[in-house]
Amino acid sequence: MKKIRPSEITPEHVYLSRRRFMTGTAKLLAGAALLAACGGVAPGAPEDEPTAGLPTQAPDATAFPPSEDAVEPATSEAPQTDELGNVWTPYQSVVGYNNYYEFSLLKDEVAELSKGFVTSPWTVEVGGLVSNPRTFDLDDLQAFEVEERVTRMRCVEAWSMVIPWLGFPLSRLLKEVEPTSKAKYVRFETVLDELQMPGLNQPFPWPYVEGLRLDEAMHDLTLLSTGLYGRDLRPQNGAPIRLVVPWKYGFKSLKSIVKIDLVEEMPTTFWAAGGGGEYGFWANVNPEVSHPRWSQATERLLGENQRVPTLFMNGYAEEVAELYDDLGSREWYY
Ligand code: MTE
């Protein structure tokens, strides 16, 4: 049987919106199918990887209990690779090995704890220094045409994945709100839902806030993602909408966004405020600039057996060099 490439699959929301006329019963069945597709198993235990955060935090997860509802999306027979020849990280790792501290500090717990996390209705309020502030609901967000972008995600903890995202450039949304000439940075905020997010009882400076300089935010590589592997995002990956900034450490790519503000001053980020001085604003990947507690020279590419060298700017230096006057300046890597 010929298998279908994920890129040939219609994104779920497009598929679903085409069927808005379905009867209530049929809709319920479709919903049940979506839930059944939500799984969480990672193949193989992680090695002795560091864990981002304060030195007192819980250690990294070491075991991955199987989940009975894990369903692999169909892929073609030949392994899919990124432009550098790295094989796409198996779906089960992408949905089963997650950093989402609002749910848990343990990567293998996030999928289970976030199961059923309510992401509809949802709004993203976009304001601050803009001429046309707007609140986008799910229908508005789904009106942006999505494309598949395969990019590498390099976590500051020295592991990485190659992920086929579905999304659209953040610049398209920002253009709609028309940033004023005073706007220099973009500040993003994750939802804060104490009833649904057990990790919020951890002593961190919630909500999770991230930021980009406006030109970084407008760069074509910077995505708002709504899906991966041809499917809508699962809660553990930041449903219904998250940021993807491939040349920066993964902590910049915040999940489940509810607020975006254009601001004049560099925003104080979650990790700058709560990371014990170990995480700065720029966080551009550089194998030569070590984290205070570990080297960034190599990384464990999930799905591969051995560590691989970390690439400068995560392999995107050519594309993003235009953003930084002098890529050699140490300033950009903290
Ligand atoms: N966003 C929120 N809101 N909370 C988080 O804990 N973790 C970050 C980032 N976004 C995080 C977050 C980190 S450290 C990484 S490496 C990536 O999400 C992991 O994304 P993934 O779980 O989809 O692989």
Side-chain angles (χ1 to χ4, degrees), residues 195-213:
L195 289 178
Q196 294 194 79
M197 296 173 137
L200 290 177
N201 62 14
Q202 292 289 329
F204 283 110
W206 310 110
Y208 198 105
V209 168
E210 258 310 334
L212 294 171
R213 201 173 56 191

Side-chain angles (χ1 to χ4, degrees), residues 97-102 153 155 159 161 190 208 236-237 242 250-251 253-255:
Y97 187 73
N98 301 102
N99 267 337
Y100 202 161
Y101 278 22
E102 288 87 335
M153 185 178 69
C155 180
W159 54 266
M161 299 194 189
T190 289
Y208 198 105
Q236 62 267 39
N237 294 108
R242 72 172 292 170
F251 67 84
S253 297
L254 89 168
K255 301 180 172 182

Side-chain angles (χ1 to χ4, degrees), residues 290-310:
S290 295
H291 182 275
R293 288 182 285 133
W294 59 82
S295 160
Q296 298 289 25
T298 63
E299 66 204 52
R300 186 172 66 92
L301 182 54
L302 268 86
E304 298 290 317
N305 291 327
Q306 52 194 20
R307 300 187 74 82
V308 298
T310 288

